[in-house]
Amino acid sequence: NYNMEDGHIHLGQKQYIEQTFKQFCSNSTMSFKTPVSPGRENEFMKLQGAKVYNKEGVLDEPETQKRRDAVSGKPYRALMGCLLWMNMTRADTTYHTATLCQCMDDPSIEEWEAGLGVLSYLYATRDLGLKYTRTPDGQSCKIDCYADSSFRYAKQPKPQAGFAIFVSGGAV
């Protein structure tokens, strides 16, 4: 949407998010206000796919096969492709989508359900998107850069870092 008078342009994917939600979710799918259920963030960061190893570090074939069977027939890669496309206008789910895409070769039901959770969040917030504002004549663009890092705390499986760059109020 473009508003000439205010000099705003809004880039969103409301219709695509609605279509994708109907494709992968049912009417009974719970709506999320965050990409991951509150209190399950560390669990999300530990997602590793279907493979299960015993205490000696040896692959547990029967348990691994059970986990593979549970997700068999589910269009996991298609869901990941849709989430990746949505990241074009929804940078708030980039970390979660990238984490889930690391398991595309061998997902478990936990990754599938986490992917549906991210999609449910996108559906609940489908009116959001990128907003760019025209700079007044004679003024230069405002560029803001932000960075953050967790440096790994006790219960976190690995350190996390990220950055965002905004030009005229919109993420680039």
Side-chain angles (χ1 to χ4, degrees):
N1 298 343
Y2 182 68
N3 185 327
M4 287 281 274
E5 289 132 24
D6 294 342
H8 297 291
I9 187 168
H10 179 265
L11 304 174
Q13 298 185 56
K14 181 178 180 176
Q15 186 176 1
Y16 182 72
I17 291 170
E18 289 172 347
Q19 291 171 347
T20 305
F21 185 82
K22 287 178 186 172
Q23 178 183 349
F24 291 102
C25 299
S26 66
N27 291 337
S28 64
T29 302
M30 186 173 23
S31 179
F32 290 136
K33 294 184 187 215
T34 58
V36 177
S37 300
R40 299 187 73 185
E41 296 87 359
N42 284 335
E43 196 176 306
F44 180 87
M45 290 190 301
K46 293 178 184 176
L47 293 175
Q48 296 179 11
K51 292 181 181 171
V52 176
Y53 296 91
N54 62 22
K55 291 178 183 177
E56 291 80 34
V58 178
L59 184 66
D60 185 339
E61 289 289 343
E63 186 60 31
T64 297
Q65 192 57 48
K66 275 192 340 191
R67 291 171 56 85
R68 286 179 177 148
D69 291 344
V71 78
S72 177
K74 302 223 184 275
Y76 187 77
R77 289 182 182 186
L79 175 60
M80 292 303 104
C82 292
L83 293 177
L84 283 168
W85 183 255
M86 291 174 203
N87 282 336
M88 299 296 241
T89 59
R90 294 297 302 271
D92 53 337
T93 59
T94 301
Y95 165 77
H96 304 91
T97 301
T99 299
L100 293 170
C101 283
Q102 292 175 17
C103 302
M104 275 202 290
D105 185 47
D106 195 18
S108 69
I109 198 70
E110 287 85 3
E111 283 84 18
W112 171 253
E113 290 172 353
L116 293 179
V118 172
L119 180 56
S120 176
Y121 163 73
L122 287 165
Y123 183 76
T125 58
R126 62 190 173 272
D127 290 321
L128 298 178
L130 297 176
K131 181 180 178 182
Y132 295 98
T133 305
R134 179 180 59 220
T135 56
D137 291 335
Q139 292 186 8
S140 58
C141 290
K142 180 181 177 190
I143 300 174
D144 295 307
C145 301
Y146 301 93
D148 193 16
S149 177
S150 66
F151 295 112
R152 190 169 187 225
Y153 59 90
K155 294 181 181 179
Q156 189 179 18
K158 56 187 173 183
Q160 299 295 317
F163 67 93
I165 300 172
F166 294 83
V167 176
S168 297
V172 292

